[in-house]
Amino acid sequence: METFSHRVNSYIDSWMGPRDLRVTGWFLLDDYIPTFIFTVMYLLIVWMGPKYMKNRQAYSCRALLVPYNLCLTLLSLYMFYELVMSVYQGGYNFFCQNTHSGGDADNRMMNVLWWYYFSKLIEFMDTFFFILRKNNHQITFLHVYHHATMLNIWWFVMNWVPCGHSYFGATFNSFIHVLMYSYYGLSAVPALRPYLWWKKYITQGQLVQFVLTMFQTSCAVVWPCGFPMGWLYFQISYMVTLILLFSNFYIQTYKKRSGSRKSDYPNGSVNGHTNGVMSSEKIKHRKARAD
């Protein structure tokens, strides 16, 4: 008897077309159901977690936050390096790159992009730390939207376009995450906080990332090379939503509060995140993190 999981995957295949057989058998990629279940569990925890913590004391999570941010910094640095080297090795074209034209570099690209997909599952912990520390004001629509959609989008990317023109956004985002998670990791050491100067540039970097990704994706529409057009149009549409949401966050956070610099705490929020050492019992009103 055909299982529910098999029916779901058969429907996806009939709608999306043939998968890229090079990733067949890779962990979590053959079956969409686990990725979907992880997303549903994430959304349920986002909904029920604050209710559970409402009458409980907040956890500081200090012992977990330092290694968590350090590990994500190192993972992001590894992915950025591997992505750049894959692009260099395969001679990838900025304007358009097909998924079967990079030779061995395509295999290297697929391997690191799998880690990029998997990192989006790890990053669910950002939200869980908010809940445990009762920083519920950080759990914004932008934060949840970005986390929940990225894991699912990249499951589809890995199954249908796991290399080629898919590289650019992941490369830029990995670089931004090196800056972001290193900031939160270092800010856990009080003596270092006065020297952490790059916080205000992270959201700006993300906005630049989205604009450049949309431009680079549009180039493949204007000068096609065989990369599936449907993916390009979807990527452009998704970038538009992120540009609008992050721009609104940036305006609300920085522009409207530019006259209140004293409220900008050393480990305040950046692009919707605040998983550093400052807890809700120390600061009641802080800026939200966006992603």
Side-chain angles (χ1 to χ4, degrees), residues 156-241:
F156 283 93
V157 170
M158 286 306 302
N159 271 287
W160 278 271
V161 284
C163 55
H165 212 64
S166 303
Y167 78 91
F168 187 81
T171 304
F172 210 134
N173 187 245
S174 295
F175 174 72
I176 294 295
H177 278 199
V178 171
L179 300 179
M180 186 176 74
Y181 286 109
S182 65
Y183 173 83
Y184 297 116
L186 293 172
S187 67
V189 182
L192 295 178
R193 291 178 203 162
Y195 305 101
L196 305 180
W197 51 268
W198 62 92
K199 181 184 72 171
K200 65 180 180 180
Y201 298 111
I202 296 176
T203 305
Q204 295 176 6
Q206 287 192 303
L207 285 170
V208 171
Q209 167 200 330
F210 302 142
V211 172
L212 288 181
T213 300
M214 187 169 67
F215 171 76
Q216 190 255 4
T217 305
S218 300
C219 288
V221 175
V222 178
W223 298 288
C225 62
F227 193 91
M229 281 289 174
W231 287 102
L232 299 175
Y233 291 131
F234 173 80
Q235 173 90 314
I236 293 170
S237 301
Y238 186 63
M239 288 301 107
V240 169
T241 67

XYZ file of all heavy atoms in Angstrom, residues 156-241:
715
model
N 13.801 22.375 -1.584
C 13.457 22.332 -3.012
C 14.654 22.676 -3.879
O 14.885 22.059 -4.924
C 12.286 23.278 -3.294
C 10.949 22.747 -2.869
C 10.433 23.050 -1.617
C 10.209 21.927 -3.703
C 9.209 22.547 -1.206
C 8.976 21.420 -3.313
C 8.472 21.731 -2.056
N 15.416 23.688 -3.481
C 16.612 24.051 -4.242
C 17.554 22.859 -4.353
O 18.064 22.547 -5.438
C 17.338 25.247 -3.584
C 18.712 25.461 -4.225
C 16.504 26.517 -3.707
N 17.795 22.183 -3.240
C 18.744 21.074 -3.238
C 18.280 19.906 -4.101
O 19.096 19.138 -4.610
C 18.999 20.589 -1.805
C 19.857 21.523 -0.981
S 21.436 21.936 -1.763
C 22.173 20.315 -1.971
N 16.993 19.758 -4.273
C 16.483 18.645 -5.070
C 16.381 18.960 -6.560
O 16.394 18.039 -7.379
C 15.108 18.200 -4.547
C 15.224 17.142 -3.457
O 15.553 15.989 -3.726
N 14.976 17.546 -2.221
N 16.290 20.239 -6.904
C 16.095 20.576 -8.316
C 17.195 21.453 -8.919
O 17.537 21.294 -10.071
C 14.730 21.243 -8.507
C 13.642 20.227 -8.604
C 13.184 19.607 -9.732
C 12.884 19.669 -7.519
N 12.192 18.694 -9.423
C 11.988 18.722 -8.072
C 12.873 19.880 -6.147
C 11.096 17.991 -7.298
C 11.989 19.148 -5.367
C 11.117 18.227 -5.931
N 17.731 22.382 -8.161
C 18.805 23.242 -8.698
C 19.914 23.371 -7.645
O 20.177 24.458 -7.127
C 18.265 24.629 -9.112
C 17.510 24.545 -10.423
C 17.354 25.235 -8.025
N 20.613 22.267 -7.330
C 21.540 22.262 -6.193
C 22.917 22.866 -6.476
O 23.818 22.759 -5.639
C 21.671 20.771 -5.878
C 21.532 20.106 -7.215
C 20.505 20.937 -7.952
N 23.084 23.493 -7.608
C 24.349 24.161 -7.923
C 24.054 25.216 -8.988
O 22.922 25.661 -9.118
C 25.419 23.163 -8.379
S 24.922 22.127 -9.774
N 25.060 25.614 -9.740
C 24.833 26.618 -10.767
C 24.458 27.965 -10.184
O 25.046 28.409 -9.191
N 23.450 28.597 -10.748
C 23.097 29.978 -10.393
C 22.538 30.115 -8.973
O 22.301 31.232 -8.519
C 22.078 30.520 -11.412
C 22.201 31.997 -11.649
N 23.319 32.569 -12.212
C 21.349 33.024 -11.398
C 23.155 33.881 -12.312
N 21.979 34.185 -11.817
N 22.362 29.003 -8.281
C 21.857 29.045 -6.903
C 22.909 29.518 -5.906
O 22.589 29.736 -4.738
C 21.361 27.654 -6.481
O 20.373 27.166 -7.356
N 24.144 29.672 -6.351
C 25.248 29.889 -5.418
C 25.281 31.269 -4.782
O 25.728 31.424 -3.642
C 26.585 29.671 -6.151
C 27.015 30.828 -7.026
C 27.816 31.856 -6.516
C 26.614 30.907 -8.358
C 28.203 32.934 -7.315
C 27.005 31.967 -9.156
C 27.788 32.977 -8.639
O 28.159 34.033 -9.418
N 24.821 32.314 -5.487
C 25.157 33.679 -5.101
C 24.566 34.083 -3.747
O 25.275 34.576 -2.865
C 24.695 34.660 -6.176
C 25.148 36.074 -5.921
C 26.432 36.472 -6.252
C 24.292 37.006 -5.361
C 26.868 37.772 -6.007
C 24.710 38.305 -5.113
C 25.999 38.691 -5.435
N 23.250 33.901 -3.576
C 22.606 34.296 -2.329
C 23.169 33.564 -1.131
O 23.374 34.151 -0.056
N 23.456 32.265 -1.294
C 24.014 31.477 -0.188
C 25.415 31.956 0.176
O 25.783 31.987 1.364
C 24.044 30.002 -0.578
N 26.201 32.336 -0.821
C 27.561 32.815 -0.558
C 27.531 34.118 0.231
O 28.215 34.266 1.254
C 28.321 33.038 -1.882
O 28.311 31.822 -2.643
C 29.755 33.454 -1.619
N 26.741 35.068 -0.225
C 26.643 36.365 0.440
C 26.072 36.200 1.837
O 26.555 36.796 2.802
C 25.769 37.307 -0.387
C 26.135 38.757 -0.255
C 26.231 39.565 -1.374
C 26.381 39.337 0.980
C 26.576 40.906 -1.267
C 26.718 40.677 1.099
C 26.807 41.465 -0.021
N 25.041 35.358 1.961
C 24.412 35.155 3.267
C 25.354 34.497 4.262
O 25.347 34.828 5.455
C 23.146 34.311 3.108
C 22.347 34.198 4.388
O 22.195 33.120 4.955
N 21.807 35.319 4.861
N 26.178 33.579 3.793
C 27.156 32.940 4.681
C 28.148 33.964 5.218
O 28.521 33.924 6.402
C 27.897 31.824 3.936
O 27.016 30.782 3.572
N 28.565 34.894 4.365
C 29.472 35.952 4.803
C 28.811 36.842 5.860
O 29.413 37.156 6.891
C 29.908 36.794 3.614
C 30.734 37.998 3.999
C 32.037 37.845 4.434
C 30.191 39.270 3.933
C 32.803 38.954 4.804
C 30.946 40.382 4.297
C 32.253 40.221 4.742
N 27.561 37.218 5.624
C 26.826 38.041 6.586
C 26.684 37.306 7.915
O 26.808 37.897 8.996
C 25.445 38.424 6.033
C 25.581 39.344 4.816
C 24.590 39.092 7.112
C 26.184 40.700 5.127
N 26.465 36.009 7.857
C 26.297 35.236 9.091
C 27.609 35.095 9.860
O 27.582 34.934 11.088
C 25.690 33.869 8.785
C 24.209 33.912 8.649
N 23.413 32.793 8.747
C 23.360 34.954 8.432
C 22.147 33.142 8.599
N 22.097 34.452 8.407
N 28.736 35.124 9.165
C 30.014 35.162 9.878
C 30.078 36.417 10.744
O 30.444 36.368 11.925
C 31.202 35.144 8.894
C 32.519 35.397 9.630
C 31.268 33.805 8.164
N 29.702 37.553 10.170
C 29.704 38.806 10.914
C 28.677 38.787 12.044
O 28.954 39.231 13.162
C 29.401 39.969 9.969
C 30.355 40.193 8.804
C 29.890 41.374 7.959
C 31.779 40.418 9.293
N 27.500 38.251 11.750
C 26.402 38.295 12.703
C 26.649 37.394 13.913
O 26.584 37.842 15.063
C 25.095 37.880 12.023
C 23.868 38.035 12.898
S 22.349 37.648 11.995
C 22.452 35.866 11.898
N 26.958 36.118 13.662
C 27.130 35.194 14.782
C 28.434 35.440 15.530
O 28.522 35.161 16.732
C 27.014 33.752 14.299
C 25.593 33.360 13.984
C 25.170 33.163 12.670
C 24.661 33.217 15.003
C 23.863 32.826 12.376
C 23.347 32.877 14.732
C 22.949 32.685 13.412
O 21.643 32.365 13.132
N 29.452 35.968 14.857
C 30.667 36.331 15.582
C 30.389 37.487 16.528
O 30.917 37.535 17.644
C 31.787 36.705 14.608
O 31.476 37.877 13.878
N 29.537 38.418 16.088
C 29.169 39.538 16.971
C 28.500 39.025 18.239
O 28.855 39.429 19.353
C 28.250 40.519 16.246
C 27.711 41.582 17.179
C 28.459 42.715 17.472
C 26.471 41.422 17.800
C 27.987 43.672 18.360
C 25.993 42.372 18.688
C 26.752 43.494 18.954
O 26.289 44.430 19.839
N 27.535 38.121 18.094
C 26.823 37.622 19.269
C 27.706 36.760 20.144
O 27.580 36.775 21.375
C 25.562 36.874 18.840
C 24.608 37.792 18.136
C 24.280 37.590 16.805
C 24.092 38.901 18.785
C 23.443 38.468 16.147
C 23.259 39.781 18.130
C 22.941 39.562 16.813
O 22.125 40.431 16.155
N 28.603 35.986 19.530
C 29.512 35.183 20.326
C 30.475 36.036 21.135
O 30.677 35.805 22.332
N 31.059 37.045 20.493
C 32.015 37.915 21.182
C 31.330 38.809 22.210
O 31.919 39.144 23.241
C 32.773 38.771 20.161
C 33.711 38.003 19.223
C 34.248 38.930 18.146
C 34.845 37.353 19.997
N 30.091 39.196 21.938
C 29.391 40.071 22.873
C 29.062 39.368 24.178
O 28.687 40.008 25.161
C 28.101 40.605 22.242
O 27.156 39.558 22.037
N 29.214 38.038 24.197
C 29.009 37.293 25.434
C 30.149 37.527 26.422
O 30.027 37.188 27.603
C 28.874 35.798 25.132
N 31.254 38.083 25.947
C 32.389 38.419 26.814
C 32.312 39.915 27.116
O 32.578 40.745 26.247
C 33.727 38.082 26.136
C 34.892 38.385 27.077
C 33.745 36.628 25.678
N 31.911 40.309 28.324
C 31.685 41.729 28.636
C 32.851 42.640 28.283
O 32.654 43.757 27.803
C 31.415 41.712 30.141
C 30.874 40.344 30.410
C 31.598 39.441 29.466
N 34.071 42.176 28.462
C 35.240 43.026 28.218
C 35.410 43.367 26.739
O 36.065 44.356 26.394
C 36.505 42.343 28.732
N 34.802 42.563 25.867
C 34.964 42.782 24.433
C 33.890 43.682 23.833
O 34.064 44.185 22.719
C 34.959 41.430 23.695
C 36.116 40.479 23.997
C 35.936 39.181 23.218
C 37.444 41.125 23.641
N 32.789 43.874 24.529
C 31.658 44.600 23.948
C 32.004 45.993 23.441
O 31.521 46.393 22.368
C 30.514 44.676 24.959
C 29.865 43.334 25.211
C 28.781 43.458 26.252
N 28.535 42.168 26.897
C 27.921 42.019 28.047
N 27.509 43.093 28.705
N 27.729 40.827 28.559
N 32.847 46.772 24.138
C 33.147 48.118 23.615
C 33.886 48.107 22.278
O 33.921 49.129 21.592
C 34.030 48.727 24.723
C 33.700 47.951 25.948
C 33.426 46.564 25.472
N 34.467 46.961 21.915
C 35.259 46.889 20.688
C 34.486 46.299 19.514
O 35.025 46.161 18.421
C 36.520 46.053 20.938
C 37.339 46.558 22.110
C 37.264 45.929 23.353
C 38.164 47.670 21.986
C 38.000 46.387 24.439
C 38.902 48.138 23.059
C 38.810 47.494 24.290
O 39.540 47.964 25.347
N 33.232 45.953 19.733
C 32.424 45.336 18.676
C 31.713 46.436 17.889
O 30.617 46.852 18.240
C 31.427 44.351 19.283
C 32.055 43.268 20.172
C 30.976 42.351 20.729
C 33.090 42.466 19.395
N 32.334 46.855 16.810
C 31.887 48.046 16.086
C 30.973 47.748 14.907
O 30.398 48.662 14.321
C 33.116 48.804 15.564
C 34.071 47.914 14.818
C 35.141 47.243 15.330
C 34.012 47.566 13.434
N 35.770 46.507 14.351
C 35.094 46.688 13.182
C 33.154 47.912 12.380
C 35.341 46.143 11.920
C 33.387 47.375 11.123
C 34.482 46.501 10.908
N 30.832 46.482 14.521
C 30.175 46.206 13.247
C 28.698 45.852 13.351
O 28.064 45.527 12.357
C 30.907 45.087 12.509
C 30.939 43.752 13.202
C 30.047 42.735 13.047
C 31.920 43.286 14.131
N 30.406 41.664 13.818
C 31.559 41.958 14.489
C 33.072 43.843 14.689
C 32.306 41.203 15.392
C 33.810 43.094 15.586
C 33.429 41.790 15.934
N 28.119 45.988 14.543
C 26.707 45.612 14.697
C 25.785 46.359 13.745
O 24.941 45.771 13.072
C 26.256 45.862 16.135
C 24.800 45.477 16.379
C 24.356 45.832 17.782
C 24.191 47.327 17.935
N 23.550 47.669 19.228
N 25.951 47.679 13.636
C 25.023 48.491 12.851
C 25.133 48.237 11.356
O 24.250 48.640 10.594
C 25.242 49.972 13.145
C 26.603 50.494 12.715
C 26.731 51.977 13.042
C 28.084 52.548 12.626
N 28.188 53.993 12.965
N 26.203 47.574 10.947
C 26.395 47.330 9.517
C 25.778 46.010 9.048
O 25.710 45.756 7.847
C 27.887 47.334 9.176
C 28.558 48.660 9.465
C 29.488 48.778 10.496
C 28.260 49.795 8.711
C 30.100 49.983 10.776
C 28.864 51.010 8.988
C 29.785 51.102 10.016
O 30.385 52.300 10.285
N 25.340 45.171 9.991
C 24.855 43.845 9.607
C 23.546 43.931 8.830
O 23.390 43.306 7.776
C 24.707 42.947 10.853
C 26.080 42.720 11.498
C 24.087 41.610 10.474
C 26.044 41.922 12.783
N 22.588 44.707 9.323
C 21.322 44.840 8.604
C 21.537 45.513 7.254
O 20.919 45.128 6.253
C 20.308 45.645 9.437
O 20.162 45.031 10.714
C 18.949 45.673 8.748
N 22.423 46.513 7.212
C 22.745 47.145 5.937
C 23.315 46.117 4.963
O 22.963 46.104 3.782
C 23.748 48.277 6.156
C 23.213 49.432 6.989
C 24.275 50.483 7.272
O 25.384 50.418 6.767
N 23.940 51.456 8.106
N 24.184 45.245 5.476
C 24.764 44.204 4.636
C 23.721 43.244 4.115
O 23.789 42.794 2.964
N 22.728 42.932 4.930
C 21.672 42.033 4.478
C 20.832 42.667 3.374
O 20.454 42.004 2.411
C 20.796 41.617 5.653
C 21.499 40.634 6.576
C 20.539 40.009 7.562
O 19.878 40.715 8.304
N 20.483 38.699 7.592
N 20.533 43.953 3.524
C 19.775 44.636 2.484
C 20.566 44.674 1.176
O 20.003 44.465 0.094
C 19.403 46.050 2.939
C 18.281 46.129 3.974
C 18.165 47.541 4.544
C 16.950 45.709 3.348
N 21.864 44.928 1.276
C 22.712 44.883 0.084
C 22.687 43.486 -0.523
O 22.611 43.311 -1.743
C 24.155 45.303 0.429
C 25.094 45.049 -0.747
C 24.206 46.770 0.832
N 22.730 42.469 0.332
C 22.675 41.083 -0.126
C 21.419 40.811 -0.940
O 21.489 40.232 -2.036
C 22.723 40.140 1.073
C 22.374 38.692 0.762
C 21.958 37.910 1.985
O 22.406 38.186 3.092
N 21.092 36.932 1.800
N 20.274 41.229 -0.433
C 19.016 40.953 -1.124
C 18.935 41.681 -2.464
O 18.473 41.121 -3.463
C 17.831 41.347 -0.240
C 17.802 40.638 1.089
C 17.405 41.309 2.238
C 18.172 39.307 1.198
C 17.385 40.664 3.461
C 18.159 38.648 2.416
C 17.761 39.333 3.553
N 19.384 42.933 -2.474
C 19.344 43.711 -3.718
C 20.274 43.101 -4.767
O 19.890 42.925 -5.930
C 19.715 45.185 -3.450
C 19.872 45.944 -4.769
C 18.654 45.859 -2.582
N 21.507 42.750 -4.356
C 22.456 42.174 -5.301
C 22.004 40.791 -5.769
O 22.196 40.432 -6.938
C 23.841 42.089 -4.668
C 24.576 43.416 -4.476
C 25.950 43.178 -3.845
C 24.717 44.165 -5.796
N 21.409 40.013 -4.878
C 20.904 38.697 -5.264
C 19.784 38.833 -6.285
O 19.722 38.075 -7.270
C 20.408 37.917 -4.034
O 21.486 37.737 -3.115
C 19.861 36.551 -4.437
N 18.898 39.797 -6.071
C 17.819 40.019 -7.029
C 18.382 40.461 -8.382
O 17.929 40.012 -9.441
C 16.835 41.066 -6.496
C 15.597 41.230 -7.375
S 14.306 42.237 -6.592
C 15.110 43.835 -6.547
N 19.391 41.336 -8.355
C 20.025 41.795 -9.596
C 20.705 40.635 -10.316
O 20.536 40.452 -11.536
C 21.049 42.889 -9.293
C 21.907 43.260 -10.471
C 21.384 44.055 -11.488
C 23.219 42.820 -10.563
C 22.167 44.394 -12.593
C 24.004 43.153 -11.654
C 23.476 43.943 -12.675
N 21.466 39.835 -9.552
C 22.182 38.719 -10.159
C 21.213 37.681 -10.724
O 21.449 37.092 -11.776
C 23.107 38.083 -9.119
C 24.088 37.069 -9.677
C 23.689 35.645 -9.357
O 22.628 35.379 -8.773
N 24.543 34.704 -9.725
N 20.106 37.457 -10.035
C 19.088 36.531 -10.523
C 18.444 37.070 -11.795
O 18.191 36.320 -12.755
C 18.013 36.299 -9.451
O 18.634 35.863 -8.242
C 17.011 35.248 -9.906
N 18.189 38.362 -11.821
C 17.580 38.982 -13.001
C 18.486 38.885 -14.220
O 17.994 38.798 -15.358
C 17.259 40.456 -12.714
O 16.362 40.577 -11.625
N 19.792 38.878 -13.993
C 20.726 38.749 -15.119
C 20.502 37.441 -15.868
O 20.607 37.390 -17.097
C 22.170 38.818 -14.615
S 22.699 40.456 -14.079
N 20.193 36.372 -15.130
C 19.971 35.075 -15.770
C 18.662 35.047 -16.545
O 18.474 34.191 -17.422
C 19.990 33.967 -14.719
N 17.750 35.950 -16.217
C 16.509 36.074 -16.987
C 16.794 36.796 -18.300
O 16.297 36.421 -19.367
C 15.434 36.830 -16.172
C 14.192 37.072 -17.020
C 15.079 36.059 -14.907
N 17.610 37.843 -18.224
C 17.946 38.638 -19.415
C 18.895 37.879 -20.337
O 18.751 37.916 -21.559
C 18.571 39.984 -18.994
C 18.966 40.802 -20.222
C 17.596 40.771 -18.116
N 19.884 37.199 -19.741
C 20.866 36.430 -20.523
C 20.800 34.960 -20.108
O 21.660 34.470 -19.363
C 22.266 36.977 -20.289
C 22.433 38.400 -20.729
C 22.497 38.865 -22.008
C 22.562 39.548 -19.876
N 22.657 40.229 -22.018
C 22.707 40.676 -20.729
C 22.589 39.741 -18.495
C 22.843 41.968 -20.226
C 22.722 41.012 -17.991
C 22.855 42.109 -18.851
N 19.772 34.228 -20.537
C 19.555 32.849 -20.073
C 20.663 31.905 -20.520
O 21.300 32.098 -21.559
C 18.216 32.483 -20.707
C 18.094 33.373 -21.898
C 18.769 34.656 -21.521
N 20.851 30.871 -19.686
C 21.887 29.872 -19.989
C 21.380 28.451 -19.773
O 22.170 27.507 -19.707
C 23.122 30.121 -19.122
S 22.814 29.957 -17.340
N 20.092 28.308 -19.605
C 19.525 26.985 -19.373
C 19.115 26.732 -17.942
O 18.503 25.702 -17.637
N 19.447 27.656 -17.027
C 18.973 27.530 -15.659
C 17.456 27.737 -15.660
O 16.961 28.672 -16.300
C 19.649 28.574 -14.768
C 19.466 28.341 -13.298
C 20.379 27.581 -12.578
C 18.382 28.879 -12.610
C 20.222 27.369 -11.213
C 18.213 28.662 -11.255
C 19.130 27.902 -10.557
N 16.684 26.886 -14.965
C 15.216 26.949 -15.023
C 14.662 28.335 -14.693
O 14.947 28.900 -13.632
C 14.781 25.921 -13.980
C 15.916 24.959 -13.901
C 17.160 25.793 -14.094
N 13.843 28.865 -15.593
C 13.285 30.208 -15.430
C 12.361 30.311 -14.225
O 12.314 31.349 -13.557
C 12.534 30.619 -16.698
C 13.418 31.078 -17.824
S 14.148 32.684 -17.455
C 15.257 32.872 -18.865
N 11.607 29.246 -13.936
C 10.688 29.290 -12.808
C 11.401 29.580 -11.503
O 10.899 30.330 -10.653
N 12.581 28.983 -11.329
C 13.362 29.237 -10.127
C 13.832 30.672 -10.051
O 13.877 31.273 -8.982
C 14.563 28.295 -10.078
C 14.182 26.897 -9.745
C 14.070 25.837 -10.605
C 13.829 26.387 -8.454
N 13.672 24.712 -9.933
C 13.526 25.016 -8.608
C 13.752 26.956 -7.190
C 13.140 24.210 -7.550
C 13.369 26.153 -6.132
C 13.063 24.797 -6.306
N 14.191 31.237 -11.186
C 14.660 32.620 -11.211
C 13.548 33.584 -10.812
O 13.757 34.494 -10.009
C 15.190 32.964 -12.604
C 16.377 32.131 -13.096
C 16.710 32.490 -14.536
C 17.591 32.340 -12.194
N 12.358 33.380 -11.359
C 11.225 34.245 -11.021
C 10.843 34.112 -9.548
O 10.490 35.100 -8.886
C 10.022 33.927 -11.911
C 10.217 34.308 -13.356
C 9.938 33.408 -14.383
C 10.681 35.578 -13.705
C 10.120 33.757 -15.721
C 10.868 35.940 -15.032
C 10.578 35.019 -16.032
O 10.767 35.370 -17.346
N 10.909 32.879 -9.035
C 10.605 32.687 -7.617
C 11.626 33.398 -6.748
O 11.269 34.054 -5.761
C 10.570 31.200 -7.267
C 10.424 30.948 -5.784
C 9.177 31.039 -5.181
C 11.534 30.661 -4.987
C 9.032 30.839 -3.809
C 11.401 30.460 -3.632
C 10.144 30.544 -3.037
N 12.905 33.270 -7.098
C 13.967 33.912 -6.325
C 13.791 35.425 -6.291
O 13.932 36.059 -5.245
C 15.333 33.565 -6.936
C 16.509 34.304 -6.338
C 17.132 33.595 -5.162
O 16.423 33.133 -4.266
N 18.446 33.503 -5.162
N 13.465 36.005 -7.436
C 13.244 37.452 -7.493
C 12.085 37.852 -6.591
O 12.172 38.823 -5.830
C 12.996 37.903 -8.940
C 14.271 37.715 -9.781
C 12.537 39.360 -8.993
C 14.062 37.901 -11.267
N 10.986 37.089 -6.656
C 9.808 37.397 -5.834
C 10.125 37.296 -4.348
O 9.715 38.150 -3.548
C 8.660 36.437 -6.181
O 8.315 36.540 -7.546
N 10.871 36.264 -3.967
C 11.223 36.088 -2.560
C 12.133 37.213 -2.083
O 11.980 37.719 -0.960
C 11.893 34.726 -2.354
C 12.158 34.389 -0.910
C 11.104 34.249 -0.004
C 13.459 34.195 -0.440
C 11.342 33.932 1.326
C 13.698 33.870 0.887
C 12.644 33.740 1.766
O 12.874 33.431 3.087
N 13.073 37.633 -2.926
C 13.957 38.742 -2.559
C 13.158 40.035 -2.353
O 13.483 40.834 -1.473
C 15.020 38.955 -3.628
C 16.104 37.892 -3.689
S 17.033 37.724 -2.128
C 16.366 36.164 -1.525
N 12.122 40.242 -3.137
C 11.285 41.434 -2.982
C 10.643 41.438 -1.600
O 10.622 42.470 -0.912
C 10.208 41.504 -4.082
C 9.169 42.584 -3.763
C 10.845 41.796 -5.436
N 10.134 40.282 -1.156
C 9.502 40.227 0.171
C 10.518 40.531 1.269
O 10.206 41.230 2.230
C 8.863 38.857 0.434
O 9.879 37.842 0.530
C 7.881 38.484 -0.675
